[in-house]
Amino acid sequence: MAIKFVVCLEKKSLGDFSNEDVTLGRLYELVEEDAGNGMVRIIDESGEDYLYPSSWFEPITLRDSIAVRLHDALTKLAA
């Protein structure tokens, strides 16, 4: 299975949704593309996977080798 990433392009305050664990312009690993109700599940700055509004993100296409290296780098950063 290919590792997919999205880039954060928006982070409005939406009541109960915290936007503190995402950064504009940063790439995030996509865990679930359609988590229902217009949400995606990503691995955020905390290193855990959480739901966020899909409208905040756009998909990024990376070569498989780059996606694996980015995944490894983000995993180390979160540890």
Side-chain angles (χ1 to χ4, degrees), residues 6-78:
V6 292
V7 62
C8 180
L9 297 176
E10 184 177 323
K11 57 180 251 179
K12 294 179 187 175
S13 178
L14 294 175
D16 291 341
F17 289 102
S18 171
N19 64 3
E20 295 177 15
D21 286 326
V22 292
T23 302
L24 288 173
R26 189 175 187 291
L27 296 178
Y28 295 94
E29 188 171 340
L30 183 64
V31 175
E32 188 176 0
E33 193 167 357
D34 182 10
N37 297 318
M39 305 294 275
V40 293
R41 184 175 298 278
I42 65 162
I43 299 174
D44 67 13
E45 304 287 348
S46 72
E48 299 294 325
D49 61 288
Y50 288 100
L51 292 172
Y52 289 93
S54 59
S55 62
W56 290 8
F57 303 91
E58 286 295 326
I60 297 293
T61 303
L62 300 172
R63 288 193 325 251
D64 288 343
S65 60
I66 294 171
V68 169
R69 288 182 66 194
L70 182 57
H71 166 79
D72 292 345
L74 292 174
T75 301
K76 287 178 188 174
L77 183 64

